[in-house]
Amino acid sequence: MMNSLQDWPEPIVRVQSLSESGLPMIPDRYVKPLSDRPSSNRPENGDANIPIIDLTGLTDDETELSRSTMDRISSACRDWGFFQVVNHGVSPGLMDQARETWRSFFHLPMEIKQAYANSPKTYEGYGSRLGIEKGAILDWSDYYYLHYLPLTLKDYNKWPGSPDYCREVIDEYGKELVKLGGRIMKVLSINLGLNESHLQNAFGGENIGACVRVNFYPKCPQPDLTLGLSSHSDPGGLTILLPDHEVPGLQVRKDGRWLTVKPARHAFIVNIGDQIQVIFL
């Protein structure tokens, strides 16, 4: 009997392995339809960027942001659905450590990474595709996915044990990001004229869910034919993204055009997800 939630429909090929093999052309499985390929047209608004907002004064206990800052967050949510935050309370050292820890993981020998290979049952672990459609066009990326909260879903056996201190770094980083997410949701609630705990409670209160996804985009010999991650909206409530500030790649759609985000140093990119939209429809 076929168990579609236990197994992938085809053998998994790691994109990093394809990249490092030196192949001159990408396999057909990664070639996107013409309508989905990256545009070669240089955008007219090349200097534009999503709003960058200073969160100085926003702590776990106090919301001491100026009215103008609250208004900028409100406008960013309404007009963009994205904004960057600086002075957000998460240590720059921890941000750098988290990024470099995951970079080190993806450069471990394949046999070590394969010990954490995921399945479509939960997607937790080391992966290279989403969905179980046989013959689907795939993205040019590998990833690692983990449940962080609630505690009933947190399984340290799925967390990588290498490099050294990897689990400790992931845990500390996750703890700080959950706190930052709570602070941001408090501001969003106040801006909507609601009790400051409204959104936090809507997403479970003390039992709120949180997950970690790390994307790895290997060098591609034909970047004009594929995408590291297909266009999408985020299905959760709030996404807090730690970008690679040396290699911009994230694009957001605004007024019918794709805009490449220019990450500020030690900033997080905040994306309002589908669930917040659903709550207020």
Side-chain angles (χ1 to χ4, degrees):
M1 181 174 67
M2 180 180 178
N3 189 343
S4 61
L5 289 180
Q6 296 288 345
D7 304 306
W8 298 108
E10 300 143 327
I12 293 296
V13 178
R14 302 303 179 190
V15 175
Q16 186 176 6
S17 295
L18 291 174
S19 175
E20 293 176 354
S21 72
L23 79 175
M25 298 187 301
I26 63 174
D28 291 343
R29 293 294 307 279
Y30 299 91
V31 177
K32 301 292 183 181
L34 280 171
S35 58
D36 295 339
R37 294 179 191 175
S39 172
S40 59
N41 296 326
R42 184 177 296 276
E44 296 175 4
N45 52 354
D47 293 331
N49 200 9
I50 62 174
I52 299 175
I53 298 173
D54 189 333
L55 295 186
T56 299
L58 180 62
T59 68
D60 294 337
D61 301 317
E62 300 291 339
T63 306
E64 297 184 358
L65 297 178
S66 66
R67 184 66 256 172
S68 63
T69 300
M70 298 285 283
D71 288 344
R72 288 193 68 211
I73 294 173
S74 180
S75 296
C77 293
R78 184 174 58 252
D79 299 337
W80 289 85
F82 283 85
F83 52 96
Q84 297 189 62
V85 292
V86 294
N87 297 318
H88 38 63
V90 181
S91 160
L94 179 60
M95 297 170 72
D96 292 341
Q97 189 177 20
R99 186 190 296 107
E100 292 311 310
T101 295
W102 281 111
R103 196 189 308 276
S104 295
F105 169 82
F106 281 106
H107 284 97
L108 288 171
M110 185 58 68
E111 60 268 23
I112 295 178
K113 292 181 290 191
Q114 282 295 104
Y116 303 99
N118 69 354
S119 78
K121 183 178 181 181
T122 66
Y123 288 99
E124 279 194 280
Y126 176 47
S128 297
R129 67 173 292 167
L130 296 172
I132 55 173
E133 178 188 351
K134 191 171 184 178
I137 301 297
L138 303 177
D139 291 333
W140 190 263
S141 60
D142 300 321
Y143 66 88
Y144 208 105
Y145 178 78
L146 290 172
H147 288 299
Y148 187 78
L149 290 176
L151 293 176
T152 53
L153 293 179
K154 194 173 186 178
D155 183 357
Y156 284 111
N157 292 322
K158 301 279 180 63
W159 293 36
S162 296
D164 292 342
Y165 307 112
C166 182
R167 291 177 179 173
E168 290 85 350
V169 171
I170 296 170
D171 222 359
E172 180 64 21
Y173 179 79
K175 184 189 307 180
E176 291 301 314
L177 266 288
V178 167
K179 290 195 290 187
L180 174 58
R183 296 194 292 270
I184 292 173
M185 285 196 290
K186 183 163 61 173
V187 171
L188 300 184
S189 296
I190 294 171
N191 271 341
L192 288 166
L194 303 168
N195 182 284
E196 66 177 30
S197 61
H198 183 92
L199 280 175
Q200 181 81 21
N201 291 335
F203 287 112
E206 293 184 358
N207 292 315
I208 197 167
C211 61
V212 177
R213 173 166 169 155
V214 184
N215 294 327
F216 182 76
Y217 305 104
K219 185 177 179 180
C220 180
Q222 294 179 294
D224 55 320
L225 299 183
T226 190
L227 292 169
L229 194 60
S230 297
S231 60
H232 64 281
S233 60
D234 283 5
L238 198 69
T239 297
I240 303 176
L241 174 67
L242 173 61
D244 186 332
H245 53 259
E246 296 179 358
V247 184
L250 174 67
Q251 292 188 319
V252 301
R253 193 163 177 82
K254 178 78 161 61
D255 299 328
R257 301 181 64 87
W258 288 103
L259 171 72
T260 299
V261 175
K262 305 171 187 63
R265 188 163 184 81
H266 291 129
F268 284 109
I269 298 170
V270 179
N271 177 11
I272 306 301
D274 295 342
Q275 290 185 29
I276 285 184
Q277 181 179 5
V278 169
I279 287 174
F280 294 103
L281 283 179

